[in-house]
Amino acid sequence: SEQKNEVVLVYSLDAEFTKPFWVFGTCSYDFIQNNGNNLLACNYRQNGKSYVGILDVAEKSLAVFDVLFTDVNNIISGPDCLYIEGASATYPLSVAKVKLENGKAEAINFSVIWSSSPDSMNYETYFSLPEVIEFPTEISGQNAYAYFYPPSNPRYQASPEEKPPLLLKSHGGPTAESRGILDLNIQYWTSRGWAFVDVNYGGSTGYGRDYRERLLGNWGVVDVNDCCSCARFLVERGMVDGERLCITGRSAGGYTTLASLVFRQTFKAGASVYGVADLISLNADTHKFESHYLSNLVGTEEAFFDRSPINFVDKFSCPVILFQGLDDKVVTPNQAQKIYLALKQKGLPVALVEYEGEGHGFRKAENIKFTLEQQMVFFARLVGNFKVADEICPIKIDNVD
């Protein structure tokens, strides 16, 4: 209410009606044009899925309609229509136009007008569709969530008695979110016989504030526990091979990967892609946008030391491959180099790939492709017990080649 300068509850729902403002210009709502301020188009998330609807401010009612996207980034109002940016398990990131009934909160037509990858639909028969799984965590009564992708290739079928190897991905952020949308990086694995699981460990966005705050003071504990619990859950359900469990992650996901390999014995190999190894160094050198972010996530000076994999390299016991940009200002190259040298000296299979001209997040297509392929070959040689079908020249693995 502008007249009284107070906040008025228009509609109540146990959902997230906005997203963290990590990226400028995101828009989760907009007023419907030619309708005053009575109708408000909005999107919200419940349990990791997006919904789109029109809120009637006067009536305090919400009309939800089907937009075929399970994940919505932005929503903008146009003349008798909405423009929605989103994706789903079969749609790549796209823009859709939703035609509205004139003056009403009703959608009468949905059409995709732009796609980030229109050719991808030619390979739909290969797509592995994610199954939302809810699994118990180490804290009694608390569950966490993940998207599980079974192997899928119309040309090949494994024998009934063979369970697939698993690659578990820990997302970055760390308080970001994995989304069950079409990601060709994931389909690369599932089309080649791997099961893939994308974990939304406690602390992830999209499941409410209480869920997100599980990570406060517990980064390096809750995320690690949940990733290991998820892998064990899939093994116990007979969905994957317990002897072929691998883990990967980028940035903060790389930290969870390294911490899982150091402080647990669940996984047989791991890949850290510009992953954090030293929390103390990260806290000292991090960019202004995330200053004091780690103070909430880690806490005490003792915790910063005790949860840094770089301080416990003697505890690594399985193969590790590391990928690092030499221009990275967030996670400096010496972190990966120190782990590589320690594992090499210990006699464990290890490889380090360094890219000139790459920072925190690889940008060059050839480097992104190389990173994906070399993970595949590394895991296949050391854990998967199979030969990769693609023609990929493997890099040298120290203490193996």
Side-chain angles (χ1 to χ4, degrees):
S1 170
E2 292 185 3
Q3 290 83 9
K4 296 182 180 180
N5 194 29
E6 62 182 13
V7 176
V8 176
L9 177 65
V10 175
Y11 188 80
S12 180
L13 186 68
D14 186 15
E16 294 190 346
F17 276 86
T18 188
K19 296 194 301 184
F21 292 118
W22 291 319
V23 178
F24 293 125
T26 56
C27 189
S28 59
Y29 70 92
D30 200 7
F31 288 98
I32 301 293
Q33 293 185 16
N34 307 323
N35 203 278
N37 290 337
N38 288 330
L39 296 182
L40 186 69
C42 60
N43 83 75
Y44 61 90
R45 286 180 75 72
Q46 283 181 316
N47 293 330
K49 183 180 177 182
S50 293
Y51 298 85
V52 174
I54 296 181
L55 181 64
D56 189 317
V57 177
E59 297 292 329
K60 295 190 175 181
S61 63
L62 179 67
V64 180
F65 48 82
D66 185 10
V67 295
L68 301 184
F69 292 157
T70 56
D71 192 274
V72 174
N73 292 329
N74 289 290
I75 184 167
I76 301 293
S77 175
D80 296 322
C81 69
L82 298 175
Y83 294 100
I84 299 173
E85 181 195 40
S88 75
T90 53
Y91 279 106
L93 185 64
S94 306
V95 175
K97 181 179 180 180
V98 180
K99 189 168 176 52
L100 302 175
E101 183 75 36
N102 187 28
K104 297 181 181 179
E106 296 179 16
I108 57 176
N109 183 259
F110 174 93
S111 59
V112 174
I113 60 175
W114 176 85
S115 171
S116 62
S117 181
D119 293 340
S120 63
M121 302 307 290
N122 297 334
Y123 306 96
E124 192 172 357
T125 56
Y126 287 85
F127 292 168
S128 174
L129 302 181
E131 172 193 346
V132 177
I133 62 169
E134 184 176 351
F135 58 91
T137 68
E138 293 201 359
I139 297 179
S140 178
Q142 278 193 358
N143 289 351
Y145 304 90
Y147 295 103
F148 176 75
Y149 298 79
S152 177
N153 189 314
R155 298 170 61 187
Y156 300 96
Q157 182 65 49
S159 60
E161 63 272 10
E162 184 178 9
K163 295 181 175 66
L166 174 73
L167 181 59
L168 181 145
K169 178 192 163 196
S170 170
H171 67 68
T175 53
E177 177 187 2
S178 293
R179 299 168 177 270
I181 60 176
L182 182 60
D183 182 345
L184 298 183
N185 289 288
I186 293 175
Q187 303 300 326
Y188 175 79
W189 294 91
T190 56
S191 63
R192 287 158 174 79
W194 285 74
F196 192 103
V197 68
D198 212 350
V199 182
N200 273 320
Y201 49 78
S204 304
T205 302
Y207 299 84
R209 179 174 294 186
D210 289 345
Y211 193 84
R212 192 173 64 252
E213 290 184 349
R214 288 185 190 179
L215 208 60
L216 293 181
N218 287 309
W219 189 30
V221 178
V222 166
D223 50 320
V224 169
N225 286 344
D226 287 0
C227 286
C228 294
S229 294
C230 181
R232 287 196 301 270
F233 175 79
L234 294 171
V235 172
E236 289 164 3
R237 286 184 62 183
M239 298 164 74
V240 301
D241 185 348
E243 295 303 311
R244 295 189 290 177
L245 303 177
C246 299
I247 184 171
T248 187
R250 302 189 294 262
S251 189
Y255 165 71
T256 301
T257 293
L258 294 171
S260 297
L261 297 176
V262 165
F263 303 119
R264 299 289 187 278
Q265 301 292 319
T266 303
F267 299 98
K268 306 298 183 183
S272 171
V273 186
Y274 46 90
V276 177
D278 186 351
L279 293 174
I280 296 172
S281 173
L282 179 69
N283 195 44
D285 300 332
T286 192
H287 36 282
K288 183 179 179 182
F289 177 68
E290 291 189 355
S291 63
H292 305 296
Y293 181 42
L294 296 191
S295 303
N296 286 329
L297 294 175
V298 182
T300 65
E301 288 185 21
E302 184 180 10
F304 271 93
F305 182 88
D306 289 344
R307 296 183 204 164
S308 294
I310 208 162
N311 298 322
F312 302 95
V313 288
D314 59 306
K315 292 188 176 184
F316 277 104
S317 60
C318 68
V320 180
I321 186 168
L322 306 138
F323 300 88
Q324 179 67 45
L326 292 176
D327 291 349
D328 197 330
K329 301 293 192 294
V330 179
V331 178
T332 49
N334 65 308
Q335 294 195 33
Q337 291 161 357
K338 184 174 179 180
I339 286 183
Y340 163 70
L341 292 172
L343 269 59
K344 182 179 177 181
Q345 186 174 358
K346 192 177 180 183
L348 287 172
V350 63
L352 171 63
V353 178
E354 295 179 308
Y355 297 120
E356 290 188 6
E358 291 282 20
H360 195 67
F362 302 153
R363 299 290 183 264
K364 298 175 183 175
E366 62 269 24
N367 293 341
I368 295 171
K369 180 173 182 284
F370 191 81
T371 300
L372 199 57
E373 290 177 340
Q374 292 304 324
Q375 285 184 72
M376 173 70 76
V377 175
F378 186 85
F379 291 147
R381 291 182 66 192
L382 298 175
V383 179
N385 298 322
F386 64 88
K387 187 176 185 301
V388 176
D390 307 81
E391 290 188 12
I392 303 170
C393 181
I395 58 170
K396 178 178 181 289
I397 300 175
D398 286 287
N399 298 320
V400 173
D401 297 321

